[in-house]
Amino acid sequence: MVNENLALLLPGDDILAVKLDETDFEFQRGGRVAKNMSDGEKTAVAFSYFLAKLNEGPAPLDETIIVLDDPISSLDENHIYAVHSICENRLSKARQLFVLTHNSSFFGLSKDWMKGKASSFYQTDRKQSENQEWYSTIARLDRMLYRFKSNYHYNYCQLKMLSEKQSPALEELIAVPNQVRSLLEAYLGFIFPEKGNLDDKLPRIIPSNEVSKLVIKFANENSHAHSLSQATEIAAYIVHTKQVISYVLSAIQAHNPEHVASLEAEITNNT
């Protein structure tokens, strides 16, 4: 069973579980111990082993509660569909199935699959206490994330809301660097489909070299920050973040006003 899963998750990687004796086995690549596996390969191996052990569990699947914590971590987009297919076809009969992920593509697939079932959707929100300590809460999934396949509409809506807010709280701005990057990568990737990264494409809608470099630096240095306290260490972080949001939204508006008008109309109809 492990090798069947690996063949689906890692086609062409030639990684196999080889039994050594009655109790031990090892993972091999091309007949040798599989050393220096990538993070994605390690994720696939762990997931394959988990699925195999699940079938050997003491209780039948329909009496089992399963929690999957980001099963596509470190896997590229090509593997997401294989993982989703396994989840949908093999785990749908579980008594309860919890799927946690921060990957928007995998979330979209899981959401569409579960919408027709007895399911609920949640998101984590990060907040700051009166003592300046960070904590997380669980909230109902935002309607924009529930309604649309990607998080593009949601990111635009959040940035638009913050741009219009006179004095946003610091906790409301923590996700902005990731939202700016995600929004720009989606927009620029569609408008300019040729190969290139954010650094290459952003100057095409923000001609000012100083402004485009500022936005890129903001997104690069603050996205996926190792510590939430990083934001508080930047002087005038709130003012700086609002300025970046203004640059980004103004650039998209100036470059494609028809697109923005359609986007905002859709957002208005779904809020």
Side-chain angles (χ1 to χ4, degrees):
M1 178 62 74
V2 172
N3 287 332
E4 292 177 10
N5 296 332
L6 287 174
L8 181 61
L9 294 170
L10 298 175
D13 283 35
D14 194 26
I15 294 179
L16 296 173
V18 178
K19 188 174 182 179
L20 300 178
D21 52 44
E22 291 302 316
T23 59
D24 299 323
F25 67 93
E26 67 182 12
F27 290 98
Q28 297 182 0
R29 190 201 312 267
R32 298 182 178 181
V33 176
K35 298 180 179 180
N36 301 319
M37 284 192 288
S38 67
D39 289 341
E41 289 175 332
K42 292 176 182 177
T43 295
V45 165
F47 187 49
S48 298
Y49 182 74
F50 167 78
L51 292 169
K53 297 302 291 184
L54 192 63
N55 288 335
E56 301 172 6
L61 190 62
D62 60 2
E63 296 179 10
T64 303
I65 298 174
I66 301 172
V67 179
L68 297 179
D69 186 2
D70 213 10
I72 48 77
S73 176
S74 301
L75 292 172
D76 61 33
E77 294 291 323
N78 295 325
H79 297 86
I80 288 176
Y81 297 98
V83 174
H84 169 72
S85 177
I86 289 175
C87 293
E88 182 174 356
N89 289 288
R90 302 188 194 178
L91 305 180
S92 60
K93 293 182 180 180
R95 181 177 179 180
Q96 280 187 299
L97 176 62
F98 295 86
V99 180
L100 302 99
T101 184
H102 56 75
N103 183 286
S104 60
S105 298
F106 185 70
F107 171 70
L109 291 170
S110 300
K111 179 182 61 177
D112 287 351
W113 162 42
M114 294 180 178
K115 270 186 177 180
K117 304 179 182 296
S119 57
S120 299
F121 302 92
Y122 301 89
Q123 65 188 58
T124 57
D125 291 336
R126 286 173 173 169
K127 298 181 179 297
Q128 192 175 42
S129 69
E130 294 180 356
N131 297 327
Q132 307 300 306
E133 296 178 346
W134 292 100
Y135 65 97
S136 295
T137 62
I138 297 177
R140 285 281 183 178
L141 186 69
D142 187 277
R143 291 181 64 184
M144 300 299 294
L145 289 173
Y146 182 83
R147 173 72 175 81
F148 294 102
K149 184 78 172 181
S150 75
N151 59 2
Y152 182 76
H153 295 74
Y154 172 76
N155 286 333
Y156 181 89
C157 184
Q158 291 296 108
L159 294 177
K160 181 72 174 178
M161 176 193 69
L162 290 171
S163 72
E164 297 171 348
K165 203 163 187 177
Q166 187 68 27
S167 301
L170 178 61
E171 63 188 36
E172 295 179 284
L173 302 178
I174 289 301
V176 168
N178 289 326
Q179 289 170 340
V180 164
R181 170 174 284 282
S182 180
L183 182 78
L184 288 174
E185 286 179 341
Y187 179 76
L188 296 172
F190 181 78
I191 298 298
F192 307 118
E194 68 272 18
K195 185 177 180 180
N197 56 30
L198 189 61
D199 300 60
D200 301 322
K201 297 180 180 181
L202 188 58
R204 298 175 72 172
I205 67 169
I206 302 182
S208 168
N209 185 59
E210 291 182 353
V211 174
S212 64
K213 290 295 185 184
L214 183 154
V215 172
I216 291 170
K217 186 176 179 64
F218 173 84
N220 287 343
E221 293 198 357
N222 295 293
S223 293
H224 309 291
H226 295 295
S227 171
L228 291 175
S229 63
Q230 178 174 334
T232 63
E233 297 170 0
I234 301 175
Y237 180 81
I238 293 178
V239 174
H240 180 57
T241 301
K242 286 201 66 176
Q243 184 62 68
V244 170
I245 294 173
S246 176
Y247 286 144
V248 171
L249 296 186
S250 297
I252 297 176
Q253 169 69 38
H255 184 259
N256 198 336
E258 185 176 358
H259 170 75
V260 171
S262 177
L263 180 60
E264 294 192 353
E266 190 64 28
I267 289 173
T268 301
N269 290 336
N270 285 278
T271 54

